[in-house]
Amino acid sequence: MTLSRQLRLAVSIAVIATVIVACSPPQAQQERETGSSVKIGFLRPSTGPFAANGLDMEHGWELYWSQHGNRAAGKTVETTVEDTAGNPSVAINKANLLFDNRHVDMLVGPLAANEGLAVADAMGRKDVPIVMPIVSADDLTQRKPVQNVVRLAGWTSSQTTHPLGEYAHSRGYRKIVTIGYDFAFGYEGVGGFVNTFTDKGGRVVKQLWSPTNTQDYSTYVAQIKNSKPDAVFAMLSGADASRFFKAYNDFGLRKTIPLLGGETLTDQSVLKSLGDGAEGLVSSGHFVEGADAPETQQFVEDFYAKYKKYPSYYSANTYAAASGVAKALEALNGDVSDAAAVVKALKGVSLTQTPMGPQKLDSHGNPVFDVSIRKVAKGPHGLWNVPTKTYDRVGQFWHYDPKEFLRHPVYSKSYQGAGVWPNPRK
């Protein structure tokens, strides 16, 4: 390239840069120059079987910041959203894109347990602060904690199902069939139920595992029918929960074999698609949109006013997480230049008022909160969950000794904690 052409190219680039600067909003340009904004990368699926759940995640996050002018600690909070498609490889790529190319100060998300484990591992090597209010993989705050991952307003998969196993036995059920996802979320959620149910003397007669995006659950439901259990426990979500429930109805089991669900089976991201036949379904969860608590009802009203639907747990958790991020930024006076300090501030947040009630991180970094046995009932704008029994201040280890609990493997396809605790380690 000749010198004259180099000069012309340089001038052209300078002109383009000047035009971009001139066309940028003055406030945004000033914030880029002064560092007066906080950049957050938000990972959630907007395609694939968990797309509805991902949209609810985004809505909860969006609602909080819209109510607070997208500001905290005197800084503008900028959120960049990326689609993970519910795929661990895609989630890693999008996390790298946000941190390396978009230069975000922290990440929030993703959704699925397998995505979260992958992102935690990849971003852990880069010391990126990550808030995970939805990813419920047990070992993130148990056997394989990642220092820069903060489960602010989050949970573990087995945390809400430990109480349900005990509750199921108290209702007189003695033989149970379980069905759950054939990956970490399913293994852990079902394992929590199985452990406490068998502690009380209950027996699991069959366990079924289905991959995500299963199109036809009829073969699974046929096996349930042939097993003749007292009740069924299901740990499914999104479109899979809807398809399973349809097959359960089609085989006539809804009226003959009681169905119990993990939190996501009757979550608002699914409930509308289940139809009126879902009324009376029992599940356990840490968010109950039909609860009487003022903080819950205010959130439900605000959410409905903005989106014309009830909030799901995905929305409640990300809303609460946003409030926690704001508190951490206030504690830091808006200074996010030191990643370790950001993580420390996030871990020090106490959430006294959330749509799920008060919660605080335990010594392992996981929230302690109330868990409710919920029943689907008619609400003012359609079906919702209402509490029928509440277990106060439930931690991730239930009533077990944490040291003994952690000496056992994480719940998996081969280890479900069956038998009276502590049971033989595998």
Side-chain angles (χ1 to χ4, degrees), residues 159-403:
Q159 191 170 359
T160 59
T161 58
H162 280 140
L164 186 60
E166 186 172 295
Y167 174 82
H169 191 273
S170 74
R171 298 293 294 176
Y173 305 135
R174 297 296 181 264
K175 298 186 300 178
I176 293 278
V177 169
T178 68
I179 180 168
Y181 276 129
D182 198 2
F183 69 95
F185 177 68
Y187 305 148
E188 293 165 9
V190 174
F193 176 93
V194 169
N195 201 349
T196 57
F197 180 68
T198 56
D199 277 354
K200 294 296 182 180
R203 183 164 63 93
V204 178
V205 296
K206 195 174 191 63
Q207 291 199 279
L208 302 170
W209 308 103
S210 65
T212 57
N213 208 22
T214 295
Q215 296 300 307
D216 184 359
Y217 275 91
S218 59
T219 57
Y220 296 96
V221 174
Q223 293 180 71
I224 291 172
K225 185 175 183 179
N226 292 336
S227 299
K228 300 180 180 179
D230 297 331
V232 174
F233 170 70
M235 194 74 179
L236 300 168
S237 64
D240 291 295
S242 299
R243 287 190 284 262
F244 169 74
F245 187 71
K246 181 180 185 303
Y248 204 79
N249 266 335
D250 290 347
F251 273 71
L253 300 191
R254 178 74 180 95
K255 296 179 179 179
T256 58
I257 303 176
L259 177 61
L260 308 173
E263 180 142 16
T264 56
L265 188 76
T266 66
D267 183 71
Q268 280 294 331
S269 59
V270 178
L271 198 49
K272 190 173 181 180
S273 68
L274 300 187
D276 291 339
E279 190 172 355
L281 273 179
V282 173
S283 64
S284 59
H286 65 302
F287 174 60
V288 192
E289 64 273 23
D292 293 331
E295 294 85 358
T296 303
Q297 285 308 300
Q298 187 62 60
F299 169 67
V300 170
E301 290 174 13
D302 292 345
F303 193 92
Y304 192 87
K306 186 173 179 67
Y307 301 109
K308 298 298 181 287
K309 62 180 181 180
Y310 289 131
S312 67
Y313 111 80
Y314 300 94
S315 306
N317 278 28
T318 52
Y319 181 91
S323 71
V325 168
K327 284 189 173 185
L329 292 176
E330 295 289 349
L332 292 162
N333 293 318
D335 182 3
V336 291
S337 59
D338 183 342
V342 172
V343 170
K344 183 178 180 180
L346 288 167
K347 289 184 176 180
V349 168
S350 179
L351 297 173
T352 56
Q353 292 184 318
T354 78
M356 299 86 73
Q359 52 181 264
K360 187 176 182 179
L361 298 182
D362 65 15
S363 59
H364 294 262
N366 189 75
V368 175
F369 46 62
D370 295 346
V371 173
S372 294
I373 304 301
R374 316 175 305 176
K375 182 173 69 174
V376 175
K378 291 180 179 178
H381 305 293
L383 296 178
W384 65 355
N385 292 284
V386 295
T388 61
K389 178 181 176 65
T390 299
Y391 294 83
D392 298 331
R393 299 190 57 74
V394 175
Q396 62 180 326
F397 303 113
W398 186 229
H399 298 315
Y400 304 122
D401 174 73
K403 290 183 179 179

Side-chain angles (χ1 to χ4, degrees), residues 118-189:
V119 169
D121 180 63
M123 295 297 101
R125 293 191 288 270
K126 297 183 177 183
D127 295 325
V128 184
I130 311 174
V131 175
M132 290 191 170
I134 305 299
V135 174
S136 56
D138 284 16
D139 261 357
L140 280 178
T141 50
Q142 292 183 10
R143 298 159 195 82
K144 300 177 182 178
V146 179
Q147 178 59 35
N148 56 305
V149 172
V150 185
R151 196 169 248 159
L152 194 61
W155 62 314
T156 66
S157 305
S158 59
Q159 191 170 359
T160 59
T161 58
H162 280 140
L164 186 60
E166 186 172 295
Y167 174 82
H169 191 273
S170 74
R171 298 293 294 176
Y173 305 135
R174 297 296 181 264
K175 298 186 300 178
I176 293 278
V177 169
T178 68
I179 180 168
Y181 276 129
D182 198 2
F183 69 95
F185 177 68
Y187 305 148
E188 293 165 9

